[in-house]
Amino acid sequence: MVVSDSALKMLSHSKSNPQAMPLALASLLCLAGCHLVESKKVDCDVSRPSTFGASKSDIFCDPACQAEVPVVASERPISTQNPSVREHWDLQLADAIEYALLNSEVIRDLGGRAIRSPSSVMTKESPAIQETDPRFGVEAALSAFDASLSAGLFFENNDRALNNILLGGGTRSFVQDLGQYSSEISKQTATGTLLSARHNVEYDFNNAPGNADPNLPWSTNVELEIRHPLLQGRGTDFNRIAGPGATPGVYNGVLIARVNADISQLDFEAGIRDLVSDVETAYWELYYAFIAYNATEKARDRALETWRQIETWRQSGLRGGTPQREARSREQYYRFEVELKNLLAGQMKERSRATTFRGLGGIYTQERELRLLMGVPINDGRLIRPVTEPSSAHIVFDWTDILSEATTSRVEIRRQQMQIKRRNLELVAAKNFLLPRLDTVGRYRWRGLGHDLLDPSGGDSEFDNAYENMLDGNFQELQVGVELSAPVGFRQASAAVRHARLSLSREKAILEEQQRQVTLEISQALAELDRAYDISQIHLNRRIAAAEQLSATEVLYEQSEESQKGVLLDQLLDAQTRLADAETQYGRAMVEYMMAIKQIHGAKGSMLHYNHVVLAEGDWPSKARTDASERASRRIDLPNLLSKNR
């Protein structure tokens, strides 16, 4: 292993600077398999951080290296021991969602799925991966109807002894120069017809005594064949569903592939919806963390002021400054100080995706989770500060409208309907296999024989060259017939039909259950909306009352006699606690109200529309638009086709 001087200097420098050690080790790992390349300098807008969490000092491996060193943020995270915040980043909720969508190569979540189960992680390429799957994608299904070309060219020299005078002649040996060329082009049509065209050329020069003319070694033929199914495999409906060469239970036609692609797009839509929902949840969690912190900070400051006042009285020898009162006010201050530290830093918790508001607090913890979802550097010296205020307006939804929308627009409902569509198509294909295979076959052939394969100068003999002899049309062959094959009992086909019907029944039952579940979700969300609004109004009144109580208690405490201050101190400290709790609970109620609104939009399938997010496929090529227009008039009547199998 060869290490450059710069890497050794970095490693030696890291001994005195522990923070540089990970970077030095990363560079050594990179140099073990590849060379260092200079990172590109990108000018970034301060208000809009780069998508990649990298600074100019980050190390990148050459793309040819098998194990690349990941790009990580180099700054130390903000914590209670490292509270240095260069600036605050005032962020709107709409901007947070925009960052998440712009930077989401991977559809992120807070549960750590990319580490625990990377194979199940969805990325922005997931729909395209399904579309281009060489086994089950749409293009793969369409390729089954492409023309296929096959060709072969072989030469042989045979020299063998034979114990047969008729074959070997008087020498009892057979000597042969043999050359064979064959080519075929075939195409499967949507109706099930197989069209084939073949061309065969053979050179056979041998010493067989039975040859009437040994100087005619060349023979050629051109053959056209049409094979059309009359029962099994017949029709565009079956071939577009099952595809050519299908077997019972294995269907991969164009329509099935298209349904699979649509399901993949719906899964992608659900992933984007969950990402937007998670971003909004993380945003309001951070908003509440600031509310709780600010309320507790005010209470801490009030407790500190009270403690200092009593401590001043105690040092001055006044009657109001008793040790008991000083200790009581000091305990109040430290209790708020502990809460303040927890509300600022947060506590370690299990990583999990939460669809509802938890309100665990912790500004730094919630801020890092929001950064993860937004795709911005986890640590960059700035602190995100939510500036979007919760709505206090009373929002009323019409029950009939949102229930109807939920049972039709919800992405899970639409996905299940696509599953039912696929099972219906599979049932159509399965029924076709209950028919025997009866094909009509037509074959026409032109033959030619000659001394040469091709003689441009021509000759007087009929068999001067094989191609001219074939084109004369003197030797033509025709074959017409039918071919029948059928398993006795059709056991596999019957099982396939039974399986398709059971699968269809299962998908319909799941759809019905999903509709019931969605009805429950929308009911719970609507009831939660009403509860959250009512509670927010009550907490607003409570906050007003708590503030008035604290003001009155402070005036009473200041104006009271020394003999009454002991009793009033407890009331004052209690009033401070109550006001802090009332402000925190009011902020929590407002956030719960916003989360209830979000839950309704999530339950009725309008989450993306609610956040002004639109999904669109890429533009079609011009040829695809032309083909779609031409085929629209002769597209199969799919609704009628499916209704026959219900």
Side-chain angles (χ1 to χ4, degrees):
M1 173 179 173
V2 180
V3 183
S4 65
D5 294 337
S6 61
L8 291 176
K9 292 179 180 179
M10 185 181 299
L11 186 59
S12 62
H13 173 67
S14 65
K15 295 179 180 179
S16 59
N17 184 9
Q19 297 182 8
M21 179 64 77
L23 188 61
L25 294 177
S27 64
L28 289 176
L29 289 175
C30 186
L31 286 168
C34 58
H35 61 278
L36 287 176
V37 296
E38 184 179 359
S39 61
K40 296 181 179 179
K41 297 181 179 180
V42 182
D43 294 329
C44 298
D45 183 5
V46 176
S47 63
R48 191 173 292 272
S50 169
T51 300
F52 307 101
S55 64
K56 295 181 180 179
S57 62
D58 287 331
I59 301 300
F60 294 84
C61 276
D62 190 291
C65 182
Q66 293 182 355
E68 297 185 358
V69 176
V71 182
V72 295
S74 59
E75 296 197 23
R76 177 179 175 140
I78 301 173
S79 65
T80 55
Q81 297 296 322
N82 181 42
S84 57
V85 178
R86 291 201 303 267
E87 61 176 313
H88 286 89
W89 179 7
D90 293 339
L91 185 67
Q92 297 278 352
L93 174 59
D95 292 334
I97 294 175
E98 181 180 359
Y99 274 104
L101 295 177
L102 288 176
N103 300 333
S104 291
E105 177 76 17
V106 174
I107 309 302
R108 300 180 179 88
D109 72 311
L110 296 178
R113 185 169 53 181
I115 295 177
R116 294 184 291 100
S117 181
S119 60
S120 64
V121 173
M122 182 173 295
T123 69
K124 68 179 184 180
E125 290 88 3
S126 295
I129 290 175
Q130 174 62 40
E131 187 86 13
T132 57
D133 192 316
R135 300 169 301 165
F136 309 112
V138 176
E139 293 298 324
L142 289 172
S143 67
F145 299 97
D146 293 343
S148 177
L149 175 66
S150 61
L153 179 63
F154 300 94
F155 297 96
E156 296 182 31
N157 178 262
N158 299 313
D159 188 1
R160 65 191 70 168
L162 300 174
N163 189 23
N164 191 310
I165 299 178
L166 296 179
L167 295 179
T171 60
R172 293 186 179 181
S173 64
F174 178 72
V175 180
Q176 180 188 41
D177 291 329
L178 179 65
Q180 293 178 320
Y181 167 78
S182 61
S183 61
E184 177 181 354
I185 184 169
S186 60
K187 177 177 175 55
Q188 183 83 33
T189 67
T191 60
T193 304
L194 179 62
L195 305 176
S196 304
R198 305 183 187 93
H199 178 211
N200 301 304
V201 178
E202 182 179 274
Y203 175 81
D204 187 2
F205 187 82
N206 60 72
N207 66 343
N211 293 333
D213 186 347
N215 294 319
L216 299 178
W218 291 97
S219 62
T220 183
N221 67 76
V222 173
E223 181 178 282
L224 301 178
E225 180 179 328
I226 300 178
R227 177 181 292 269
H228 180 72
L230 298 178
L231 297 177
Q232 186 185 123
R234 175 179 177 271
T236 57
D237 296 347
F238 172 81
N239 286 279
R240 289 177 178 173
I241 295 173
T247 58
V250 181
Y251 318 112
N252 191 33
V254 178
L255 295 181
I256 294 292
R258 183 67 261 178
V259 170
N260 291 337
D262 291 340
I263 291 176
S264 176
Q265 292 177 0
L266 291 175
D267 289 338
F268 179 76
E269 179 182 343
I272 295 295
R273 177 205 61 188
D274 292 342
L275 174 62
V276 172
S277 176
D278 289 347
V279 170
E280 186 170 354
T281 300
Y283 186 90
W284 292 122
E285 290 276 4
L286 180 58
Y287 180 91
Y288 169 73
F290 271 98
I291 291 293
Y293 178 84
N294 292 334
T296 305
E297 185 180 34
K298 293 178 184 178
R300 190 272 314 266
D301 294 342
R302 295 190 191 99
L304 178 61
E305 183 180 355
T306 303
W307 175 29
R308 286 174 176 173
Q309 184 182 22
I310 296 177
E311 177 64 15
T312 301
W313 291 345
R314 188 182 67 82
Q315 293 178 358
S316 301
L318 299 178
R319 294 179 59 185
T322 63
Q324 186 272 341
R325 294 174 186 174
E326 185 274 335
R328 175 73 175 84
S329 60
R330 176 158 43 94
E331 185 276 336
Q332 175 95 323
Y333 165 76
Y334 283 120
R335 180 161 59 87
F336 281 130
E337 185 68 15
V338 170
E339 292 183 15
L340 207 60
K341 291 291 184 181
N342 289 329
L343 291 173
L344 181 63
Q347 295 177 301
M348 287 292 295
K349 59 183 179 181
E350 183 180 359
R351 295 185 61 185
S352 61
R353 178 176 178 267
T355 58
T356 57
F357 176 69
R358 293 180 293 183
L360 300 178
I363 292 177
Y364 296 157
T365 300
Q366 300 297 341
E367 194 256 3
R368 285 191 288 268
E369 290 186 349
L370 179 58
R371 283 176 172 270
L372 173 67
L373 295 174
M374 291 169 56
V376 299
I378 303 299
N379 308 301
D380 63 359
R382 299 185 299 169
L383 183 65
I384 295 178
R385 185 166 55 190
V387 294
T388 300
E389 294 292 334
S391 174
S392 59
H394 187 197
I395 300 176
V396 179
F397 292 91
D398 182 84
W399 167 250
T400 304
D401 291 343
I402 62 175
L403 180 60
S404 176
E405 186 177 359
T407 54
T408 55
S409 301
R410 183 79 175 260
V411 64
E412 290 85 357
I413 298 295
R414 289 184 284 132
R415 188 186 190 280
Q416 189 60 27
Q417 289 172 342
M418 296 302 298
Q419 291 279 20
I420 293 177
K421 179 180 178 181
R422 181 169 63 182
R423 298 306 183 190
N424 270 301
L425 293 173
E426 291 175 353
L427 180 57
V428 173
K431 288 182 176 180
N432 185 268
F433 284 104
L434 291 174
L435 302 174
R437 184 79 189 190
L438 179 63
D439 296 347
T440 60
V441 182
R443 187 179 298 116
Y444 201 85
R445 185 184 300 114
W446 288 265
R447 287 189 177 274
L449 183 68
H451 179 269
D452 297 316
L453 179 63
L454 183 63
D455 185 4
S457 61
D460 298 334
S461 172
E462 179 184 7
F463 300 103
D464 178 71
N465 64 84
Y467 273 117
E468 182 179 1
N469 182 254
M470 181 183 66
L471 294 176
D472 287 341
N474 295 328
F475 303 98
Q476 302 181 30
E477 299 175 351
L478 173 66
Q479 183 183 31
V480 178
V482 293
E483 189 174 86
L484 175 66
S485 64
V488 178
F490 290 94
R491 180 178 297 182
Q492 186 182 24
S494 299
V497 172
R498 179 63 176 165
H499 178 269
R501 285 176 173 164
L502 291 174
S503 299
L504 177 59
S505 177
R506 174 183 179 274
E507 302 298 345
K508 289 181 177 179
I510 292 177
L511 176 61
E512 183 178 353
E513 181 61 25
Q514 284 182 340
Q515 291 174 339
R516 288 176 54 83
Q517 295 281 353
V518 168
T519 302
L520 173 63
E521 286 187 26
I522 200 70
S523 301
Q524 300 281 43
L526 189 60
E528 171 64 15
L529 179 70
D530 294 340
R531 182 205 69 84
Y533 180 78
D534 292 340
I535 293 298
S536 67
Q537 298 304 303
I538 296 174
H539 277 299
L540 174 61
N541 295 327
R542 178 194 173 192
R543 187 185 69 169
I544 296 173
E548 293 176 353
Q549 179 192 15
L550 178 60
S551 299
T553 305
E554 288 176 342
V555 173
L556 183 61
Y557 183 81
E558 293 292 338
Q559 298 176 354
S560 64
E561 297 179 357
E562 292 296 329
S563 60
Q564 298 178 342
K565 287 187 180 293
V567 177
L568 293 177
L569 176 63
D570 290 337
Q571 296 180 4
L572 177 62
L573 297 178
D574 182 67
Q576 293 174 353
T577 303
R578 286 180 175 276
L579 178 58
D581 184 66
E583 290 179 342
T584 301
Q585 292 301 321
Y586 175 68
R588 183 186 184 95
M590 293 302 298
V591 171
E592 288 180 349
Y593 181 59
M594 294 302 298
M595 291 294 295
I597 296 174
K598 188 207 75 168
Q599 289 292 343
I600 286 185
H601 285 286
K604 71 187 187 74
S606 58
M607 175 68 69
L608 297 182
H609 179 73
Y610 170 61
N611 288 282
H612 308 287
V613 178
V614 178
L615 300 180
E617 295 187 52
D619 193 20
W620 286 10
S622 56
K623 185 63 169 61
R625 293 181 179 274
T626 303
D627 292 346
S629 178
E630 292 177 353
R631 294 173 182 171
S633 59
R634 43 194 178 88
R635 187 177 302 157
I636 65 172
D637 188 4
L638 189 59
N640 292 335
L641 176 65
L642 299 181
S643 63
K644 298 177 182 179
N645 301 281
R646 293 176 180 172

